[in-house]
Amino acid sequence: MRISETARKLLIAGCYMVFFGFAFFLLFYHLDNHLLWEDEAETAVLAKNIVQFGVPRTFDGTNYIVLHGAIDETPNHIWIWSPWLQEYVTATSFSLFGPTTWAARAPFALFGCCSLVLLARVAFKIYRSHWIALSSALLLGTSEVFLLHARQCRYYSISIFAEILLMYGIHQLCAKKRDGVWLAALALILQFYSNYIIAVANIPALFVLAWLLCKQGKTAMLQVLAVLAMFLAAAAPWLGYAHPWGQGKMVGAENYFSKALWYLEEFHFHFIPLCFLLLPLIGWTICRSWQPTVTDIQRLMERFLICLLPLYLVTILIAPGGFLRYLLPTLPVACLLTAVWVFRYSRRKALPVLVILIQSVCNLFAILTAFPSQENPGLKFPVVEYMEGISGTYTDRLADVVGFFKTHARHSESILSYDSEFPLIFYTQIEVINGSIMALPAGQLPDWFLPSSPSCPIARTTVTLPESLKFRYQIITIPVHDSIRGDSIPEPDIYQYHSSKTLVPFIIYKLNTSTNGHGL
């Protein structure tokens, strides 16, 4: 029995409402369950300084916010290590809701929600199929790596939103729409002021687009050049002010082959199984007896997106280190292509719907097609594990140490550590001296000394208090949860959902009051 057109529209609208409501829950529920880790706290403290001073100052009168020293700031103590978009987004939230963990992450979770809506919109705009639109958004919205990154006080969700906006702009360019230039340029500008690497990684694909559009005449070519010109014009003020090319010295000799394999394995297990990206080849072999209908614009868009993925990977290989956050903008691209090809190469709707649902809830396809990868994580249900994890209350060693200092320390006191300890600065407002890059105040001892870091995700050797100073301090041992370092880093293999049941001793040195802080 066929349903009426009105009932069909209501059913479709209901599906969208249920999905977006579910996604909103996944992104916002217990958003403050984990305390801000080092990178998030860096953004949050700079955002607090924006609220106070109007600009991201690295010195607020008490604390310095620097990672590497003078290279992070101007002589006037203005942050220039990275662009300011994420800091101003966070500062806006702090102005509205106050400087809390929830307020720090809320605008980025909202960008995550907007990314899902925009992806569904773009998918429908290109393919006029609610099946593809909902499936694309479902693949992205149930991705553990997307959910973890979108719930961070960092630029990650903005970069995803901008990548989808870039796809929309490219579609409009292919369709000879004037707004395509503005949309594509805006997307690149958002990415540049989030992270240079992500913006630069998309540039090679624009030259491929220019080549693909060359058959449409000079107008199309000029539009692509206009996108690049607008992007460079918007980036120029920051390039002239911050001189970011100095950071290029950090690009060193790396094993790019091993790095590429790592990125491919992470993509396969945590993004989209690579087997889905081979579907056109498989479909061409199976479907030679019948040809699915594909418009010229759809074909052009898919060629662009297929070229974008490897070109993007090659570009981020040059960047120092290997981080999933650099690869993150490719996720919505892969989700869209997967949804399109799964439905295109099946004559019945039931099979692609089943495939999309399986991929949304478990890693079965990644395991079955992992050969010759050495990694074997076993069958997992990431979104189920994620929902179970955010439903409980999480506590780690950082929360225990923060609680201790809130109770036992005064704002006028100081802490000496050999790590940045940005979370301690954000949550306690106590002066934190980073002994690895800062000198101690002349003639004065710090009120507290941390021989090991409670917050730094990178393990460092415990620093021993010199024998000549031990008599000036008393040892305080507190029980803390035996959480792993980096337990809030948004990577599926690292992020911890459940508190450790084991408590371990954590040593803190407190200056004896009889010394009055003097006598270095």
Side-chain angles (χ1 to χ4, degrees):
M1 184 180 73
R2 298 185 63 179
I3 60 175
S4 67
E5 185 63 20
T6 301
R8 176 179 171 276
K9 289 181 179 179
L10 288 174
L11 179 60
I12 292 172
C15 290
Y16 280 108
M17 290 179 63
V18 169
F19 168 71
F20 289 128
F22 178 59
F24 185 88
F25 165 79
L26 292 179
L27 286 166
F28 276 91
Y29 187 70
H30 266 186
L31 192 58
D32 56 356
N33 209 16
H34 288 59
L35 295 187
L36 304 177
W37 66 287
E38 186 176 20
D39 285 10
E40 290 185 284
E42 169 202 299
T43 302
V45 175
L46 289 171
K48 287 178 65 176
N49 291 349
I50 289 175
V51 174
Q52 183 176 356
F53 304 107
V55 292
R57 292 182 59 86
T58 56
F59 182 62
D60 61 4
T62 301
N63 280 295
Y64 273 101
I65 307 301
V66 288
L67 291 169
H68 312 95
I71 193 176
D72 296 346
E73 59 178 355
T74 68
N76 295 325
H77 302 303
I78 305 298
W79 176 265
I80 56 171
W81 177 253
S82 59
W84 301 341
L85 179 58
Q86 61 185 0
E87 282 80 18
Y88 274 94
V89 168
T90 309
T92 301
S93 182
F94 284 170
S95 297
L96 294 173
F97 305 109
T100 66
T101 304
W102 183 90
R105 291 176 176 150
F108 301 96
L110 183 60
F111 264 103
C113 288
C114 293
S115 297
L116 296 174
V117 174
L118 184 60
L119 181 59
R121 168 62 180 165
V122 171
F124 185 78
K125 180 79 173 179
I126 299 172
Y127 293 98
R128 295 296 172 181
S129 167
H130 292 294
W131 290 105
I132 292 176
L134 270 171
S135 296
S136 301
L138 181 64
L139 289 172
L140 181 61
T142 55
S143 168
E144 183 183 22
V145 73
F146 165 75
L147 292 169
L148 292 179
H149 280 84
R151 286 166 60 96
Q152 293 269 305
C153 176
R154 294 292 280 179
Y155 64 85
Y156 311 138
S157 60
I158 300 178
S159 70
I160 294 174
F161 178 85
E163 193 71 19
I164 302 170
L165 190 64
L166 179 63
M167 287 195 289
Y168 189 25
I170 298 305
H171 171 264
Q172 296 299 85
L173 287 176
C174 294
K176 300 181 180 180
K177 303 291 186 180
R178 292 183 179 180
D179 61 348
V181 174
W182 297 96
L183 292 170
L186 175 60
L188 291 175
I189 293 166
L190 286 174
Q191 290 189 333
F192 178 84
Y193 282 99
S194 298
N195 186 302
Y196 315 125
I197 296 170
I198 292 171
V200 172
N202 278 305
I203 299 299
L206 289 183
F207 291 103
V208 172
L209 177 67
W211 177 73
L212 291 173
L213 292 175
C214 65
K215 294 181 180 179
Q216 296 187 15
K218 293 182 179 180
T219 302
M221 293 284 288
L222 291 175
Q223 287 180 326
V224 176
L225 292 176
V227 171
L228 291 173
M230 292 172 62
F231 164 65
L232 291 174
W238 179 262
L239 295 174
Y241 178 71
H243 307 293
W245 46 82
Q247 300 176 18
K249 298 176 182 179
M250 299 184 67
V251 178
E254 296 183 79
N255 188 330
Y256 292 113
F257 181 74
S258 298
K259 191 174 176 180
L261 288 181
W262 179 81
Y263 270 127
L264 289 174
E265 283 200 347
E266 292 297 307
F267 190 95
H268 179 79
F269 285 106
H270 299 307
F271 285 60
I272 292 292
L274 294 173
C275 59
F276 286 117
L277 301 183
L278 299 176
L279 282 177
L281 180 60
I282 300 171
W284 178 83
T285 304
I286 297 175
C287 305
R288 282 182 290 182
S289 60
W290 60 280
Q291 281 296 320
T293 302
V294 182
T295 67
D296 291 339
I297 294 178
Q298 291 170 356
R299 185 178 293 107
L300 193 58
M301 274 295 300
E302 288 173 34
R303 287 176 180 174
F304 167 77
L305 296 178
I306 290 170
C307 292
L308 183 146
L309 292 176
L311 289 173
Y312 187 100
L313 174 61
V314 170
T315 306
I316 65 172
L317 286 177
I318 302 173
F323 303 97
L324 281 189
R325 57 180 177 264
Y326 295 164
L327 198 59
L328 203 60
T330 63
L331 180 57
V333 177
C335 289
L336 176 60
L337 291 176
T338 296
V340 170
W341 292 338
V342 165
F343 278 94
R344 177 176 298 167
Y345 298 113
S346 176
R347 293 186 176 184
R348 298 180 181 275
K349 289 290 191 299
L351 178 60
V353 168
L354 179 62
V355 169
I356 294 295
L357 290 176
I358 292 175
Q359 175 58 29
S360 298
V361 299
C362 72
N363 64 344
L364 177 64
F365 294 122
I367 294 175
L368 294 178
T369 59
F371 184 83
S373 172
Q374 299 299 313
E375 185 174 344
N376 184 12
L379 183 64
K380 292 185 177 181
F381 297 83
V383 71
V384 176
E385 180 182 350
Y386 171 89
M387 287 191 292
E388 182 185 357
I390 64 173
S391 64
T393 300
Y394 185 81
T395 304
D396 60 3
R397 72 176 64 218
L398 172 60
D400 295 328
V401 174
V402 166
F404 171 83
F405 279 115
K406 281 186 172 182
T407 303
H408 297 90
R410 297 188 297 269
H411 288 179
S412 60
E413 295 179 338
S414 61
I415 302 172
L416 172 63
S417 176
Y418 282 81
D419 290 292
S420 55
E421 309 298 354
F422 296 146
L424 285 182
I425 294 174
F426 180 76
Y427 288 109
T428 68
Q429 290 83 52
I430 300 173
E431 179 185 5
V432 176
I433 304 167
N434 184 350
S436 63
I437 59 175
M438 298 166 60
L440 291 174
Q444 186 172 354
L445 291 171
D447 299 284
W448 303 86
F449 171 67
L450 296 177
S452 62
S453 172
S455 66
C456 186
I458 302 175
R460 295 177 184 265
T461 303
T462 300
V463 179
T464 304
L465 191 69
E467 290 293 333
S468 60
L469 295 179
K470 282 187 176 180
F471 78 97
R472 298 176 183 268
Y473 286 85
Q474 59 176 306
I475 298 177
I476 299 175
T477 303
I478 65 171
V480 298
H481 287 78
D482 190 20
S483 55
I484 68 168
R485 290 181 177 272
D487 55 335
S488 297
I489 292 177
E491 298 185 10
D493 294 330
I494 301 176
Y495 192 87
Q496 299 294 297
Y497 291 108
H498 305 289
S499 304
S500 173
K501 297 181 180 179
T502 304
L503 298 179
V504 294
F506 186 85
I507 295 175
I508 301 173
Y509 287 88
K510 181 181 180 182
L511 185 67
N512 292 320
T513 54
S514 59
T515 66
N516 294 322
H518 298 286
L520 267 179

